[in-house]
Amino acid sequence: MRKKLVLSIICVLCVVFSIFTLSGCSTNKGNQDASVANFVGGTSPFETLETFVTKFPDRTATQSYGLDRSKDAALWISEQFSSLGYTSFYENGLDTFMYDNGVTKRTELGYNVVYKKESPSDKVVVIGAHYDNVADVTIDGVLLGGDGTYNNGVGVATLLEVAKVLKDKDLPFDVEFVAFGAEEFGWYGSQRFLSNYSNKNNIMLMVNFDRNAIGDYVYMYSSEAKTKHNKYFYDIARQNNLCIADMPSYLSPAFGALVGNAIHINEANYADSQIFLAEGINIVNFLSMNFKANEVVESDGKSNIAYTSDDSFNIVVERLGGREQAKQTIDKQINSAISAVVYAFESEDFVNVMSVSKANNGLDVFADSKIISYISYGLIGGSILALVIIYFVLKKRVKPHDVYINTIYGRFNTTTGEMEQKATPNNNTGDNVGNVFGEEFNRNTSNDNNFGESSNANNGNVSSGNSDKTTDIFGDF
């Protein structure tokens, strides 16, 4: 019984350990008190966000729905970078490209806004955010979006504000700022940027802002594997009390039915940064959501607004508790991302850490959600097989013990239900001591004067009363 209990406990622990190891989790929400956070100064995220999304509510990256509104937004972003003193290789700061739009079924024009902060080094950090939305796209009769305040006006505001803070910083590496176009239709802007890049090995890191404010918490995602650069940024966040929560690690779509974290790998990097990670480039993607035990939502107790008409500035402000509360929340979350980036860039060992760290810790297969699913299912299957083998091995070794009861009729086996070693019938009128303990103690066969003298039922010989009775009971000594 004890061995079976131990076996059951081992099996349960193995299953729990397997799930915990592969799924991982963290309930550390980090510091959420903006009053004790060490934010960089000189930023106005809320005002920049409001200006951008109200001025360009429709940034849909198509020409099929009328005017080329994404170009108008791209030109405005370009003006902001130019006013900060950054330079671009492209006319008006726009890299124009063509892509096949799966929704309109047409070849459309897209625009990347690309500016650079140069240094004597050949090392590069790319900072990006997509600016397009789906304000004027209808699928299956449903109009998808509002002005895209959450997706991804906050990303554009963060990109412009971090550019504002970095413009006077002396950094030992180049910084390239990119506002990606046509992200909503398939990450075409980021694909275009990398396809034009002559030496991708020079890119130490790609920082991305996508839906990085308005949700319950801000997270930083690097990959499914633990990396030095991910730890580096989280150390910076902790040291400065930034309002950034821990991102659960080692998550896989394979565990949807088990732990519910089925979309972590997708939602945590469902952005332009995924294109860079797939190329083996280090990334840090900032996003704002709520990674709960069994699901991922934008805000607890509220409906998701991405790709809906509720993703509009006025509605967002109302959801966050009014203008003043909305400003506090958005400034807190965006400044947490800005501060993490700026403080990391200013650290003396930043270049060294980014140079030695590897995307996915060198395990590039983890950049593919399908592959990590196969690996996860394989590990689960192997664990189950191992448990089955252990169970049957231990079960074979754990044999039931026979339990006996001595009766006047013989020895009864309670395990098999059979009577074993039946007692020899005895018609003597004496007590039954001899039946239980042996004929040596049967008074009916003993002489009171010669205690222990017995009769041999098999051969009829009678032992001498003068013999040492230890011979009869214990053997001949």
Short mmCIF file of all heavy atoms in Angstrom, two decimals, residues 23-64:
data_model
loop_
_atom_site.label_atom_id
_atom_site.label_comp_id
_atom_site.label_asym_id
_atom_site.label_seq_id
_atom_site.Cartn_x
_atom_site.Cartn_y
_atom_site.Cartn_z
N SER A 23 6.00 25.16 -19.45
CA SER A 23 5.10 26.30 -19.57
C SER A 23 5.65 27.53 -18.86
O SER A 23 5.56 28.63 -19.34
CB SER A 23 3.72 25.97 -19.00
OG SER A 23 3.79 25.77 -17.62
N GLY A 24 6.23 27.30 -17.67
CA GLY A 24 6.75 28.41 -16.89
C GLY A 24 5.65 29.39 -16.52
O GLY A 24 4.59 29.42 -17.11
N CYS A 25 5.87 30.20 -15.57
CA CYS A 25 4.90 31.22 -15.25
C CYS A 25 5.54 32.20 -14.29
O CYS A 25 6.55 31.92 -13.68
CB CYS A 25 3.64 30.63 -14.63
SG CYS A 25 3.90 29.87 -13.03
N SER A 26 4.93 33.36 -14.22
CA SER A 26 5.40 34.35 -13.28
C SER A 26 4.21 35.21 -12.87
O SER A 26 3.41 35.61 -13.71
CB SER A 26 6.48 35.23 -13.91
OG SER A 26 6.82 36.28 -13.04
N THR A 27 4.09 35.47 -11.61
CA THR A 27 3.02 36.32 -11.12
C THR A 27 3.56 37.66 -10.64
O THR A 27 2.84 38.44 -10.03
CB THR A 27 2.28 35.63 -9.96
OG1 THR A 27 3.22 35.31 -8.92
CG2 THR A 27 1.61 34.35 -10.43
N ASN A 28 4.83 37.93 -10.91
CA ASN A 28 5.44 39.18 -10.49
C ASN A 28 5.03 40.31 -11.44
O ASN A 28 5.46 40.35 -12.59
CB ASN A 28 6.97 39.03 -10.46
CG ASN A 28 7.64 40.29 -9.93
OD1 ASN A 28 7.00 41.23 -9.51
ND2 ASN A 28 8.97 40.29 -9.96
N LYS A 29 4.20 41.22 -10.96
CA LYS A 29 3.71 42.31 -11.79
C LYS A 29 4.63 43.53 -11.73
O LYS A 29 4.36 44.54 -12.38
CB LYS A 29 2.30 42.72 -11.35
CG LYS A 29 1.29 41.58 -11.44
CD LYS A 29 1.23 40.96 -12.83
CE LYS A 29 0.19 39.88 -12.92
NZ LYS A 29 0.15 39.22 -14.24
N GLY A 30 5.72 43.41 -11.00
CA GLY A 30 6.65 44.52 -10.92
C GLY A 30 6.07 45.71 -10.17
O GLY A 30 4.96 45.67 -9.65
N ASN A 31 6.82 46.79 -10.14
CA ASN A 31 6.34 48.01 -9.49
C ASN A 31 5.31 48.68 -10.39
O ASN A 31 5.53 48.86 -11.58
CB ASN A 31 7.51 48.97 -9.24
CG ASN A 31 7.02 50.36 -8.89
OD1 ASN A 31 6.23 50.53 -7.97
ND2 ASN A 31 7.48 51.35 -9.63
N GLN A 32 4.16 49.01 -9.83
CA GLN A 32 3.13 49.71 -10.60
C GLN A 32 2.85 51.11 -10.04
O GLN A 32 1.89 51.76 -10.45
CB GLN A 32 1.85 48.88 -10.63
CG GLN A 32 2.00 47.54 -11.33
CD GLN A 32 2.44 47.68 -12.78
OE1 GLN A 32 1.98 48.56 -13.51
NE2 GLN A 32 3.35 46.81 -13.20
N ASP A 33 3.72 51.55 -9.13
CA ASP A 33 3.57 52.87 -8.53
C ASP A 33 4.47 53.86 -9.26
O ASP A 33 5.69 53.88 -9.05
CB ASP A 33 3.92 52.79 -7.04
CG ASP A 33 3.71 54.12 -6.32
OD1 ASP A 33 3.29 55.10 -6.98
OD2 ASP A 33 3.98 54.18 -5.11
N ALA A 34 3.89 54.68 -10.10
CA ALA A 34 4.68 55.61 -10.91
C ALA A 34 5.42 56.63 -10.06
O ALA A 34 6.45 57.17 -10.48
CB ALA A 34 3.77 56.33 -11.90
N SER A 35 4.93 56.88 -8.85
CA SER A 35 5.55 57.91 -8.00
C SER A 35 6.95 57.51 -7.52
O SER A 35 7.73 58.38 -7.15
CB SER A 35 4.64 58.21 -6.80
OG SER A 35 4.55 57.08 -5.95
N VAL A 36 7.25 56.22 -7.51
CA VAL A 36 8.57 55.77 -7.06
C VAL A 36 9.44 55.31 -8.22
O VAL A 36 10.55 54.81 -8.02
CB VAL A 36 8.45 54.63 -6.02
CG1 VAL A 36 7.70 55.10 -4.80
CG2 VAL A 36 7.77 53.41 -6.63
N ALA A 37 8.94 55.47 -9.45
CA ALA A 37 9.71 55.04 -10.62
C ALA A 37 10.68 56.14 -11.04
O ALA A 37 10.38 57.34 -10.93
CB ALA A 37 8.77 54.71 -11.77
N ASN A 38 11.84 55.73 -11.51
CA ASN A 38 12.87 56.67 -11.96
C ASN A 38 12.75 56.84 -13.48
O ASN A 38 13.47 56.22 -14.25
CB ASN A 38 14.25 56.14 -11.58
CG ASN A 38 15.36 57.08 -12.04
OD1 ASN A 38 15.15 58.29 -12.18
ND2 ASN A 38 16.54 56.52 -12.28
N PHE A 39 11.82 57.68 -13.90
CA PHE A 39 11.60 57.90 -15.33
C PHE A 39 12.56 58.96 -15.86
O PHE A 39 12.98 59.87 -15.12
CB PHE A 39 10.17 58.38 -15.60
CG PHE A 39 9.10 57.38 -15.27
CD1 PHE A 39 7.96 57.76 -14.58
CD2 PHE A 39 9.23 56.05 -15.66
CE1 PHE A 39 6.97 56.85 -14.27
CE2 PHE A 39 8.24 55.13 -15.37
CZ PHE A 39 7.12 55.52 -14.67
N VAL A 40 12.88 58.87 -17.14
CA VAL A 40 13.65 59.93 -17.79
C VAL A 40 12.75 61.17 -17.90
O VAL A 40 11.52 61.06 -17.90
CB VAL A 40 14.14 59.52 -19.19
CG1 VAL A 40 15.08 58.33 -19.09
CG2 VAL A 40 12.96 59.20 -20.11
N GLY A 41 13.35 62.31 -18.01
CA GLY A 41 12.57 63.54 -18.10
C GLY A 41 12.42 64.02 -19.53
O GLY A 41 13.01 63.50 -20.47
N GLY A 42 11.58 65.04 -19.71
CA GLY A 42 11.44 65.69 -21.01
C GLY A 42 10.55 65.00 -22.01
O GLY A 42 10.74 65.16 -23.22
N THR A 43 9.58 64.22 -21.54
CA THR A 43 8.70 63.51 -22.47
C THR A 43 7.25 63.98 -22.31
O THR A 43 6.87 64.48 -21.24
CB THR A 43 8.74 61.99 -22.25
OG1 THR A 43 8.16 61.67 -20.98
CG2 THR A 43 10.16 61.47 -22.31
N SER A 44 6.46 63.80 -23.37
CA SER A 44 5.02 64.11 -23.32
C SER A 44 4.26 63.08 -24.15
O SER A 44 3.68 63.41 -25.18
CB SER A 44 4.76 65.53 -23.86
OG SER A 44 5.33 65.66 -25.16
N PRO A 45 4.27 61.81 -23.69
CA PRO A 45 3.67 60.72 -24.48
C PRO A 45 2.18 60.90 -24.76
O PRO A 45 1.73 60.68 -25.89
CB PRO A 45 3.92 59.49 -23.59
CG PRO A 45 5.05 59.87 -22.70
CD PRO A 45 4.89 61.33 -22.46
N PHE A 46 1.42 61.27 -23.75
CA PHE A 46 -0.03 61.37 -23.92
C PHE A 46 -0.38 62.41 -24.98
O PHE A 46 -1.23 62.18 -25.84
CB PHE A 46 -0.68 61.73 -22.58
CG PHE A 46 -2.18 61.81 -22.64
CD1 PHE A 46 -2.95 60.66 -22.61
CD2 PHE A 46 -2.82 63.05 -22.72
CE1 PHE A 46 -4.35 60.73 -22.66
CE2 PHE A 46 -4.20 63.13 -22.78
CZ PHE A 46 -4.97 61.97 -22.75
N GLU A 47 0.28 63.57 -24.94
CA GLU A 47 0.01 64.63 -25.91
C GLU A 47 0.41 64.22 -27.32
O GLU A 47 -0.31 64.50 -28.29
CB GLU A 47 0.75 65.91 -25.50
CG GLU A 47 0.19 66.60 -24.27
CD GLU A 47 0.54 65.89 -22.97
OE1 GLU A 47 1.44 65.02 -22.98
OE2 GLU A 47 -0.07 66.20 -21.93
N THR A 48 1.56 63.54 -27.45
CA THR A 48 2.00 63.07 -28.76
C THR A 48 1.02 62.04 -29.32
O THR A 48 0.69 62.07 -30.52
CB THR A 48 3.41 62.45 -28.67
OG1 THR A 48 4.32 63.44 -28.20
CG2 THR A 48 3.87 61.95 -30.03
N LEU A 49 0.57 61.14 -28.48
CA LEU A 49 -0.41 60.13 -28.89
C LEU A 49 -1.69 60.79 -29.38
O LEU A 49 -2.21 60.46 -30.46
CB LEU A 49 -0.72 59.20 -27.72
CG LEU A 49 -1.90 58.24 -27.90
CD1 LEU A 49 -1.63 57.24 -29.03
CD2 LEU A 49 -2.20 57.51 -26.60
N GLU A 50 -2.21 61.74 -28.60
CA GLU A 50 -3.46 62.39 -28.96
C GLU A 50 -3.32 63.14 -30.29
O GLU A 50 -4.21 63.06 -31.16
CB GLU A 50 -3.87 63.37 -27.86
CG GLU A 50 -5.19 64.06 -28.14
CD GLU A 50 -5.61 65.00 -27.01
OE1 GLU A 50 -4.72 65.40 -26.21
OE2 GLU A 50 -6.81 65.32 -26.92
N THR A 51 -2.24 63.83 -30.46
CA THR A 51 -2.02 64.58 -31.71
C THR A 51 -1.99 63.65 -32.91
O THR A 51 -2.64 63.92 -33.93
CB THR A 51 -0.70 65.36 -31.64
OG1 THR A 51 -0.75 66.30 -30.57
CG2 THR A 51 -0.43 66.09 -32.94
N PHE A 52 -1.27 62.56 -32.78
CA PHE A 52 -1.09 61.65 -33.92
C PHE A 52 -2.40 60.97 -34.32
O PHE A 52 -2.78 60.99 -35.50
CB PHE A 52 -0.03 60.60 -33.57
CG PHE A 52 0.17 59.57 -34.65
CD1 PHE A 52 0.67 59.93 -35.89
CD2 PHE A 52 -0.15 58.24 -34.42
CE1 PHE A 52 0.86 58.99 -36.89
CE2 PHE A 52 0.04 57.28 -35.41
CZ PHE A 52 0.54 57.66 -36.65
N VAL A 53 -3.09 60.36 -33.37
CA VAL A 53 -4.27 59.56 -33.74
C VAL A 53 -5.47 60.43 -34.12
O VAL A 53 -6.33 60.01 -34.90
CB VAL A 53 -4.66 58.58 -32.62
CG1 VAL A 53 -3.53 57.58 -32.38
CG2 VAL A 53 -5.03 59.29 -31.33
N THR A 54 -5.56 61.64 -33.57
CA THR A 54 -6.67 62.51 -33.95
C THR A 54 -6.40 63.19 -35.30
O THR A 54 -7.33 63.49 -36.04
CB THR A 54 -6.93 63.58 -32.88
OG1 THR A 54 -5.72 64.31 -32.61
CG2 THR A 54 -7.43 62.93 -31.59
N LYS A 55 -5.15 63.41 -35.59
CA LYS A 55 -4.78 64.03 -36.87
C LYS A 55 -4.85 63.02 -38.02
O LYS A 55 -5.21 63.36 -39.14
CB LYS A 55 -3.36 64.61 -36.76
CG LYS A 55 -2.95 65.52 -37.91
CD LYS A 55 -1.58 66.09 -37.67
CE LYS A 55 -1.17 67.07 -38.76
NZ LYS A 55 -2.01 68.29 -38.81
N PHE A 56 -4.53 61.73 -37.69
CA PHE A 56 -4.53 60.68 -38.72
C PHE A 56 -5.29 59.45 -38.22
O PHE A 56 -4.71 58.41 -37.95
CB PHE A 56 -3.10 60.27 -39.09
CG PHE A 56 -2.24 61.43 -39.52
CD1 PHE A 56 -1.32 62.00 -38.65
CD2 PHE A 56 -2.36 61.97 -40.80
CE1 PHE A 56 -0.54 63.08 -39.03
CE2 PHE A 56 -1.58 63.05 -41.20
CZ PHE A 56 -0.66 63.60 -40.31
N PRO A 57 -6.60 59.56 -38.10
CA PRO A 57 -7.38 58.43 -37.61
C PRO A 57 -7.41 57.24 -38.56
O PRO A 57 -7.55 56.10 -38.13
CB PRO A 57 -8.78 59.01 -37.40
CG PRO A 57 -8.84 60.17 -38.35
CD PRO A 57 -7.45 60.73 -38.37
N ASP A 58 -7.29 57.53 -39.86
CA ASP A 58 -7.26 56.46 -40.86
C ASP A 58 -5.87 56.38 -41.47
O ASP A 58 -5.46 57.27 -42.23
CB ASP A 58 -8.31 56.71 -41.95
CG ASP A 58 -8.38 55.57 -42.96
OD1 ASP A 58 -7.60 54.60 -42.82
OD2 ASP A 58 -9.22 55.64 -43.87
N ARG A 59 -5.14 55.32 -41.12
CA ARG A 59 -3.79 55.12 -41.65
C ARG A 59 -3.71 53.77 -42.37
O ARG A 59 -2.65 53.15 -42.43
CB ARG A 59 -2.78 55.17 -40.50
CG ARG A 59 -2.89 56.43 -39.67
CD ARG A 59 -1.91 56.50 -38.53
NE ARG A 59 -2.07 55.45 -37.54
CZ ARG A 59 -2.98 55.45 -36.57
NH1 ARG A 59 -3.85 56.45 -36.46
NH2 ARG A 59 -3.06 54.46 -35.70
N THR A 60 -4.84 53.33 -42.89
CA THR A 60 -4.90 52.03 -43.55
C THR A 60 -3.95 52.02 -44.74
O THR A 60 -3.98 52.91 -45.59
CB THR A 60 -6.34 51.74 -44.04
OG1 THR A 60 -7.23 51.92 -42.94
CG2 THR A 60 -6.44 50.31 -44.54
N ALA A 61 -3.09 51.00 -44.80
CA ALA A 61 -2.03 50.96 -45.80
C ALA A 61 -2.54 50.42 -47.15
O ALA A 61 -2.07 49.39 -47.64
CB ALA A 61 -0.87 50.10 -45.29
N THR A 62 -3.52 51.09 -47.70
CA THR A 62 -4.02 50.73 -49.03
C THR A 62 -4.39 52.00 -49.77
O THR A 62 -4.60 53.07 -49.19
CB THR A 62 -5.28 49.84 -48.96
OG1 THR A 62 -6.37 50.65 -48.50
CG2 THR A 62 -5.10 48.66 -48.06
N GLN A 63 -4.50 51.88 -51.08
CA GLN A 63 -5.05 52.95 -51.90
C GLN A 63 -6.43 52.57 -52.42
O GLN A 63 -7.12 53.36 -53.07
CB GLN A 63 -4.13 53.26 -53.09
CG GLN A 63 -2.77 53.82 -52.69
CD GLN A 63 -1.80 52.75 -52.20
OE1 GLN A 63 -1.64 51.72 -52.83
NE2 GLN A 63 -1.17 53.00 -51.07
N SER A 64 -6.85 51.35 -52.15
CA SER A 64 -8.09 50.82 -52.70
C SER A 64 -9.32 51.44 -52.05
O SER A 64 -10.41 51.38 -52.61
CB SER A 64 -8.13 49.30 -52.52
OG SER A 64 -7.07 48.70 -53.21
#
